[in-house]
Amino acid sequence: MKEKELRLALVCYGGISLAVYMHGISKEFLKAVRASKIYHSRPDYAERQRASFADLAGPAIRSADTERVYFDLIKAIGKKLDLRLLIDVIAGASAGGINGIILGRALAHDLQMDALRDVWFKHADVSELLSEESRAGKFSKFYLRPLFYWMGGGFGHSSKIEKEAAAKLSMFERSRWFKAPFDGEKLLGILFDAIEEMGEPAAPDSSLVPSGLPLELFVTVTDFYGYTHHIPIHDPPIVAEREHRHVLRFLYRRWRSGEMRSDFNREHVPSLAFAARATSSYPGAFPPAQISEVDRMLEKRSRSWRHKTQFLESNFRPYRLAGLNPMMTSFVDGSVLNNKPFEPAIEAIRTRAAYRDVDRRLIYIDPHPEQIGPPPDGEVPGFFSTLKGAISEIPRSEPVHDDLSDISAVNAQVQRRKTVVDAARPHVAELVSSITRDRLHRRISMETLRSWRDAANSRAAVEAGFVYEGYVRLKLASVEDNACRLISGLCRYSEGSAQFVMIRAVIDIWARMRGIYPEEGNVRLVKPGTAHEGLPAWVRFLEAFDIDFRRRRLRFMIQNLNHLYSRLHESHYQGLRADDLDALKGEFYDALESLRQFDHVGIVARETAIKARELFRKDMPDLSTGAIPDHAYSFAAANMERVDALQTMLANDIDLDAVNHKVDQILCRLSEGDWPVEAKREVLTSYLGYSYWDVLTFSVTNWRDLGEYDEIRVDRFSPDDCTTIRKGSAETILKGITFKHFGAFLSRKDRENDYLWGRLHAAERLIDILYDAAKVEEAEGGIDKLAFKKRAFETILDVEADHLPHCAELIRTVRAEVAAL
């Protein structure tokens, strides 16, 4: 059965009280991913197809509702395509940041969100959020009440203001002026309790994220004071720039070995609560957030923050380099400067490994798409309009044109690569066949495989001609860059800092002085079987440090294996089973696991780390005087032997020969098995011929783009895009858009309204996306998309009716609309 992963990366915009709408959307995402995990909980395809949701759900059945609908849809799709739904990237700002944090924790440890519905209904209210000292009394500013009631029809409110909302608006407007009326520490406590009340996983390894695939969460905040970046230029040698944008990062990953890292477990709740508090610290409504608030809250509760040092170290390294203490600064709403955090999500996608055919979607949740107004009529904006637009509205409305253009460029690059690979495939197969002399049906020894690999590498160089020299130089530059990144990590320098630039300059000078970069036109071919000592310096350098080539080759082989699933019915693959492909892919995954250690400095021995710090930290010259190139030349010349020693120690710690040996063993065992000859040929062709493909494609891909080779499709979730039940827009459907997006803070009924529509809209769009990813026509697969939507809508209305007492009339109306579909 052909496999495909539908991988979602979510970008969640800010929206203040529209957080309640986004909570409904987040809940539905969680349910859809859980349904996919339940369906794939049995490894046997036939058993999955026979099983019902009740057969496989286990404890999850107690809180299931739309999970059953998504399960049945994925099962129906499974007759033609084995489709898995995953979320592996979340980026959020402000209200989107809060929802991203909650969804990330739920996905990481397979937790429920049901209790949070009541948290939103109860606590996302003006009467709950107002600080005690700012709360208006009965007669506070009583003379302004008529004005506030008159204003109730403004702020985008198109209908008569409700009694509850009017009373709370009056209380809010008459509360403390010129100081933030809402209580930041109270909000922190509410968020802490809500995140913690999600509970503990049913088992230590319970997760909706599969082994080997990371889940990354990015939460934007705005540093009110900013921190200093020192940037090297020509003259003066260093300039200082202030940076106010900041991104907090959280990671979950469980490796196939069983090792796990989680920034989402209960011990990290204080860190998650601070991120939620800081990203939603809307200027003027909440006071700026400080990390010390968490300490005070925990002290009152007699709780500890065990991972505080880790949180500060992993998220505030630039502060330390700037000589600043992040405990002393203040943070305001992440949406002030980064309301649409596409950049970290796109960067994360570009480093993802693709183990099977992937349909990658970047979904951005925009609860209130901007309504483009008429073109300017020549009138100059007034004083207050100018201030308001420049300070608040224009920064928050920064368009996503550049980010979407970047995605288009990535997609074009993917298409170029696929075109090159497909066009070269027959020629590479012929090349490999001539090297192996078509002996792939026999047992292959380790020595034979190595000799074939060396011969294929030499043939690739000959075939590439003059292009090969450019390829070698690009590879050397990429490997050198990775080595500098590793050394900088050992010295605790951030990428882009003046110290990082200095290290890169020193290593580059060392490489050229040691002959690592061959002279122009002097990239001589290596004769197969040449002893290590007789290899040119550039070959020895790549053999010791070119980790990324090994990764690219393994991922390429896995992708080629994925294509075989759809060809098992062909006569020359007779006898080959999907289980056989799964087993071989599992071994390739394990080989990739052995390469993952090179992503962090923990691979380096203690003695090597000490040597690096002594050289590039203790003895680093003062970079504030003189140009970095001048410093680098004199420093490199004086320390050539020390750099030699460091590079030798790093090569020994990395030990890429062990990785090569492991992959060779896998392929030799394959040659001894009973796979059809044509299947063995496919696998060995992708391995032996990869050098040829790499020469062709490396120059058209960024050397750091080592992940998915699939296009990124972009989908928007917003009220404007959901028209199955009711055509309309945010203005006509959502209540939280009123009063400049504060409307849902004034009325529980409005919060219930928005939460319900969040679930309904998300169900509609998720079914659309699952259906589109499957590419199964209704006539072929017998899948009635509208029937699944109606069933999801009815399920949501049934399960939420008892929890939304203020929306009984809305539920009756929507039921009638759904029935009429």
Side-chain angles (χ1 to χ4, degrees):
M1 175 60 61
K2 181 176 174 56
E3 293 181 316
K4 179 185 281 190
E5 283 183 0
L6 173 56
R7 290 190 185 180
L8 308 183
L10 309 184
V11 176
C12 309
Y13 287 13
I16 314 174
S17 75
L18 288 171
V20 184
Y21 173 73
M22 285 189 277
H23 173 63
I25 292 176
S26 300
K27 189 171 186 177
E28 213 58 32
F29 273 117
L30 177 66
K31 289 178 174 292
V33 173
R34 181 175 289 121
S36 178
K37 174 69 179 292
I38 291 169
Y39 174 73
H40 289 96
S41 61
R42 299 287 174 89
D44 184 73
Y45 164 76
E47 187 178 355
R48 290 200 301 270
Q49 280 290 301
R50 288 193 302 268
S52 66
F53 180 82
D55 295 331
L56 303 179
I61 198 169
R62 292 194 298 270
S63 59
D65 45 69
T66 49
E67 287 96 335
R68 300 170 186 272
V69 182
Y70 300 123
F71 177 94
D72 289 344
L73 176 57
I74 293 169
K75 181 178 175 180
I77 290 170
K79 295 175 182 177
K80 298 287 186 179
L81 174 71
D82 195 16
L83 183 67
R84 300 168 186 248
L85 174 64
L86 306 169
I87 295 175
D88 62 340
V89 179
I90 305 172
S94 191
I98 294 176
N99 281 284
I101 289 166
I102 291 169
L103 179 59
R105 177 157 153 76
L107 291 169
H109 296 294
D110 194 3
L111 304 175
Q112 298 292 340
M113 282 188 184
D114 291 340
L116 295 170
R117 170 185 52 212
D118 297 327
V119 170
W120 282 113
F121 290 166
K122 178 181 178 182
H123 294 292
D125 191 278
V126 164
S127 61
E128 287 281 327
L129 296 173
L130 279 174
S131 61
E132 292 302 322
E133 62 271 20
S134 70
R135 190 181 299 268
K138 184 176 182 180
F139 298 104
S140 299
K141 303 184 184 73
F142 68 91
Y143 51 88
L144 291 177
R145 285 187 177 180
L147 172 64
F148 297 139
Y149 276 102
W150 172 77
M151 290 173 65
F155 297 101
H157 202 296
S158 59
S159 61
K160 185 178 179 181
I161 188 169
E162 296 177 4
K163 186 175 181 181
E164 178 192 3
K168 290 179 178 177
L169 176 65
S170 173
M171 178 177 65
F172 175 66
E173 295 284 4
R174 291 180 295 108
S175 296
R176 181 175 62 187
W177 289 3
F178 307 116
K179 285 188 179 181
F182 291 158
D183 190 327
E185 296 200 10
K186 181 184 288 187
L187 175 63
L188 175 65
I190 292 170
L191 293 168
F192 179 89
D193 290 338
I195 296 169
E196 190 170 55
E197 285 173 10
M198 295 174 71
E200 292 291 322
D205 61 347
S206 294
S207 178
L208 297 178
V209 183
S211 296
L213 186 70
L215 168 66
E216 286 186 279
L217 166 68
F218 305 92
V219 181
T220 66
V221 296
T222 304
D223 185 336
F224 182 80
Y225 296 106
Y227 58 91
T228 303
H229 269 312
H230 289 98
I231 305 170
I233 63 171
H234 177 256
D235 188 20
I238 303 289
V239 295
E241 290 288 334
R242 188 168 296 279
E243 178 63 79
H244 294 271
R245 294 172 301 173
H246 195 66
V247 178
L248 303 177
R249 291 171 168 83
F250 300 89
L251 173 69
Y252 171 86
R253 186 165 190 173
R254 187 177 75 257
W255 288 273
R256 290 170 62 86
S257 63
E259 180 188 351
M260 183 177 72
R261 171 186 166 177
S262 176
D263 295 334
F264 295 94
N265 59 30
R266 189 172 184 178
E267 293 178 346
H268 287 85
V269 169
S271 305
L272 295 168
F274 170 75
R277 157 77 173 101
T279 191
S280 59
S281 183
Y282 192 82
F286 291 99
Q290 292 190 325
I291 299 172
S292 57
E293 287 181 24
V294 182
D295 292 325
R296 291 194 297 272
M297 178 196 69
L298 294 174
E299 184 179 1
K300 292 176 183 177
R301 298 171 181 230
S302 299
R303 298 283 296 275
S304 63
W305 190 356
R306 285 187 55 195
H307 296 284
K308 177 180 177 180
T309 301
Q310 175 191 327
F311 172 68
L312 296 176
E313 173 66 25
S314 60
N315 282 286
F316 296 98
R317 181 173 294 180
Y319 287 74
R320 187 183 63 249
L321 293 173
L324 298 175
N325 182 357
M327 296 290 295
M328 306 304 293
T329 194
S330 299
F331 299 91
V332 296
D333 197 297
S335 67
V336 171
L337 295 178
N338 196 357
N339 190 42
K340 303 169 182 179
F342 279 86
E343 184 178 353
I346 294 170
E347 184 62 27
I349 290 172
R350 290 164 70 140
T351 60
R352 284 294 182 271
Y355 299 143
R356 51 182 57 85
D357 189 15
V358 170
D359 185 336
R360 164 61 77 180
R361 303 293 177 106
L362 192 152
I363 294 177
Y364 68 98
I365 302 170
D366 185 357
H368 187 193
E370 182 181 3
Q371 302 298 315
I372 307 299
D377 56 5
E379 182 180 352
V380 177
F383 176 76
F384 287 107
S385 296
T386 303
L387 284 179
K388 181 183 175 186
I391 295 173
S392 174
E393 293 181 350
I394 293 177
R396 288 173 59 84
S397 300
E398 189 67 22
V400 298
H401 173 269
D402 291 344
D403 297 303
L404 298 183
S405 295
D406 286 345
I407 293 174
S408 295
V410 169
N411 290 342
Q413 190 179 79
V414 166
Q415 285 299 324
R416 286 196 298 271
R417 184 185 182 280
K418 285 182 176 179
T419 299
V420 170
V421 168
D422 291 342
R425 194 176 296 276
H427 183 77
V428 175
E430 183 180 341
L431 180 149
V432 171
S433 180
S434 67
I435 291 171
T436 62
R437 298 178 185 176
D438 209 20
R439 290 182 292 171
L440 300 182
H441 60 287
R442 303 177 184 174
R443 180 182 178 276
I444 302 171
S445 67
M446 298 276 283
E447 293 75 16
T448 299
L449 187 62
R450 279 195 292 268
S451 68
W452 286 350
R453 187 178 62 224
D454 291 345
N457 292 343
S458 296
R459 285 285 297 274
V462 171
E463 293 274 341
F466 69 89
V467 174
Y468 191 72
E469 180 162 341
Y471 164 73
V472 167
R473 294 183 184 280
L474 275 175
K475 285 230 299 179
L476 288 168
S478 74
V479 174
E480 180 188 310
D481 201 39
N482 287 336
C484 294
R485 201 171 290 111
L486 177 60
I487 294 169
S488 295
L490 292 171
C491 298
R492 298 177 182 173
Y493 296 136
S494 63
E495 192 172 341
S497 65
Q499 293 86 352
F500 176 84
V501 175
M502 174 68 177
I503 290 173
R504 187 163 56 187
V506 169
I507 297 301
D508 187 66
I509 294 166
W510 169 84
R512 295 179 189 283
M513 294 179 71
R514 290 301 191 224
I516 303 298
Y517 281 91
E519 294 181 7
E520 191 169 341
N522 195 29
V523 179
R524 62 184 177 88
L525 302 181
V526 180
K527 185 178 179 180
T530 302
H532 180 77
E533 296 74 17
L535 296 173
W538 65 269
V539 176
R540 295 199 303 272
F541 184 70
L542 291 178
E543 284 193 342
F545 294 105
D546 197 356
I547 301 162
D548 289 345
F549 175 83
R550 276 80 175 174
R551 285 181 174 138
R552 291 196 301 273
R553 182 169 61 192
L554 278 168
R555 290 172 180 168
F556 182 78
M557 294 169 70
I558 289 170
Q559 287 176 323
N560 277 322
L561 275 180
N562 290 333
H563 295 311
L564 291 182
Y565 283 96
S566 60
R567 303 182 64 185
L568 294 178
H569 64 281
E570 297 179 15
S571 59
H572 44 265
Y573 293 113
Q574 188 172 4
L576 183 64
R577 300 171 304 154
D579 290 346
D580 299 325
L581 298 176
D582 291 341
L584 182 58
K585 283 203 299 183
E587 293 193 82
F588 287 155
Y589 297 160
D590 290 338
L592 274 173
E593 283 288 299
S594 66
L595 289 171
R596 65 97 178 170
Q597 60 186 320
F598 305 124
D599 291 334
H600 55 81
V601 297
I603 182 181
V604 175
R606 182 173 180 272
E607 294 77 12
T608 309
I610 292 172
K611 183 74 69 174
R613 290 166 191 156
E614 285 178 349
L615 178 59
F616 288 110
R617 196 169 184 90
K618 180 180 176 183
D619 298 337
M620 179 76 82
D622 182 3
L623 302 181
S624 63
T625 59
I628 284 181
D630 296 335
H631 280 306
Y633 275 108
S634 58
F635 187 84
N639 293 281
M640 285 293 287
E641 290 75 16
R642 295 174 72 186
V643 178
D644 286 339
L646 178 60
Q647 293 290 334
T648 300
M649 294 173 76
L650 287 171
N652 290 335
D653 292 343
I654 291 172
D655 190 16
L656 283 184
D657 281 342
V659 177
N660 292 336
H661 185 77
K662 184 172 185 175
V663 176
D664 287 349
Q665 283 183 320
I666 294 171
L667 295 172
C668 288
R669 284 197 301 271
L670 173 67
S671 74
E672 298 171 358
D674 56 358
W675 276 39
V677 174
E678 190 63 31
K680 292 180 182 179
R681 181 178 288 110
E682 285 284 340
V683 175
L684 284 165
T685 296
S686 64
Y687 177 68
L688 297 173
Y690 182 70
S691 293
Y692 189 91
W693 273 303
D694 202 46
V695 171
L696 294 175
T697 61
F698 191 64
S699 60
V700 298
T701 58
N702 185 298
W703 62 59
R704 296 179 66 185
D705 295 347
L706 303 174
E708 299 166 4
Y709 293 119
D710 301 277
E711 291 186 56
I712 303 172
R713 295 177 173 87
V714 182
D715 295 294
R716 185 179 72 172
F717 273 40
S718 80
D720 300 50
D721 308 315
C722 303
T723 58
T724 300
I725 298 176
R726 181 183 298 179
K727 290 182 171 60
S729 64
E731 280 80 4
T732 59
I733 292 175
L734 301 185
K735 306 298 184 181
I737 67 166
T738 59
F739 303 109
K740 298 298 181 182
H741 291 176
F742 277 86
F745 289 158
L746 301 172
S747 165
R748 170 161 178 156
K749 180 179 180 180
D750 289 352
R751 292 194 291 279
E752 291 182 7
N753 175 91
D754 290 2
Y755 163 76
L756 178 62
W757 281 112
R759 287 203 65 182
L760 293 169
H761 286 167
E764 174 180 346
R765 295 290 282 141
L766 277 166
I767 291 171
D768 283 337
I769 288 174
L770 285 165
Y771 188 85
D772 180 65
K775 298 193 183 330
V776 178
E777 297 297 330
E778 293 190 27
E780 294 179 4
I783 300 175
D784 186 340
K785 183 169 65 171
L786 182 58
F788 275 103
K789 286 185 179 182
K790 290 181 67 174
R791 185 178 156 201
F793 299 152
E794 290 165 352
T795 300
I796 292 169
L797 294 170
D798 289 343
V799 76
E800 296 294 355
D802 292 338
H803 301 284
L804 309 179
H806 299 84
C807 285
E809 180 57 35
L810 172 65
I811 290 173
R812 281 194 294 272
T813 302
V814 174
R815 279 192 196 280
E817 291 174 283
V818 171
L821 291 176

